[in-house]
Amino acid sequence: MKKKVGILGGTFDPPHIGHLIIANEVLHRQNLDEIWFIPTNEPPHKTNTTSSNKHRKNMVELAIATNDHFYLHDIELQRKGKSYTYDTIKQLQEMYDHQFYFIIGADMIEYLPKWYKIDELMKMITFIGVKRSTYKTETDFPVLLVDIPMIDISSTDIRERIRHHISAQYMILDSVYVYIKEHQLYDV
């Protein structure tokens, strides 16, 4: 049997407990073997990230260090230019004989019709959508839905809190917070 691997992509700038909760819930509810965190190099739907690829990679490693089913894969950080899911999945399928599941938030479910090569991508992987407040999960595409505890945390909010010296405690792991402080990330 093929290994069942969930992929959670994102900028992870910084990774927060919402990412970890999503990964853990999907891992257990869909009986996956592993979750791979894949930081994007240059997301097609967002402006540039604040932190360097090196810092984002290091923060993800710290965030997932205590879970034996969570792994970091830097496939997108190795490529230049925009990070399209289609290119990543195609490359992963050439490298591994695994069954891949791509985890997306409800905000991305609504955006699926605009994804690069979405019809081809739908033939390659299974999408797992997680509910998120204020977003709909209805789509014409086949997406497995997973209910998760509603944690409304965003990396953008955490960066702003840190910039303005407002506590982000409990939103990110202590190890990630220490790293952010040591490297003076998000300071103005």
Side-chain angles (χ1 to χ4, degrees):
M1 258 177 103
K2 290 185 178 188
K3 186 182 286 189
K4 293 165 53 172
V5 176
I7 295 172
L8 185 61
T11 54
F12 302 117
D13 193 19
H16 53 70
I17 63 162
H19 296 127
L20 300 174
I21 290 169
I22 288 168
N24 193 58
E25 289 294 310
V26 170
L27 175 79
H28 293 288
R29 291 180 185 264
Q30 293 298 319
N31 296 312
L32 303 182
D33 298 304
E34 298 174 355
I35 300 289
W36 292 0
F37 287 70
I38 300 183
T40 59
N41 180 45
E42 189 180 323
H45 60 283
K46 288 185 180 178
T47 56
N48 289 341
T49 56
T50 304
S51 303
S52 70
N53 288 353
K54 174 188 165 199
H55 286 310
R56 293 184 301 113
K57 180 180 174 181
N58 290 342
M59 287 189 288
V60 169
E61 287 176 338
L62 289 168
I64 66 174
T66 60
N67 191 311
D68 293 339
H69 298 283
F70 291 175
Y71 297 91
L72 175 122
H73 202 301
D74 65 354
I75 188 170
E76 290 192 359
L77 298 179
Q78 301 299 321
R79 284 198 318 258
K80 301 297 178 209
K82 297 220 179 272
S83 295
Y84 291 104
T85 303
Y86 173 82
D87 297 329
T88 300
I89 296 302
K90 187 173 181 206
Q91 190 175 355
L92 286 173
Q93 287 180 336
E94 291 168 0
M95 297 167 66
Y96 304 98
D97 187 28
H98 300 334
Q99 185 175 350
F100 290 107
Y101 297 80
F102 200 83
I103 305 164
I104 57 174
D107 56 330
M108 288 290 109
I109 293 173
E110 289 183 9
Y111 193 72
L112 278 176
K114 298 176 183 174
W115 279 38
Y116 176 70
K117 295 194 176 185
I118 188 61
D119 293 328
E120 293 96 324
L121 193 54
M122 282 293 169
K123 296 172 188 166
M124 299 164 70
I125 57 170
T126 301
F127 278 90
I128 298 175
V130 295
K131 294 185 178 179
R132 195 168 168 185
S133 60
T134 71
Y135 291 98
K136 298 176 184 171
T137 55
E138 292 87 32
T139 180
D140 292 333
F141 295 102
V143 175
L144 298 174
L145 293 176
V146 173
D147 285 319
I148 60 163
M150 290 302 210
I151 308 279
D152 198 15
I153 297 174
S154 76
S155 296
T156 302
D157 183 45
I158 291 168
R159 289 192 306 270
E160 286 301 308
R161 285 172 164 272
I162 291 170
R163 260 191 204 103
H164 295 98
H165 307 287
I166 300 169
S167 175
Q169 189 174 19
Y170 307 118
M171 294 179 174
I172 55 178
L173 296 183
D174 290 342
S175 57
V176 174
Y177 182 73
V178 167
Y179 185 91
I180 290 168
K181 283 301 183 190
E182 282 178 359
H183 296 279
Q184 299 176 342
L185 303 180
Y186 318 128
D187 285 343
V188 272

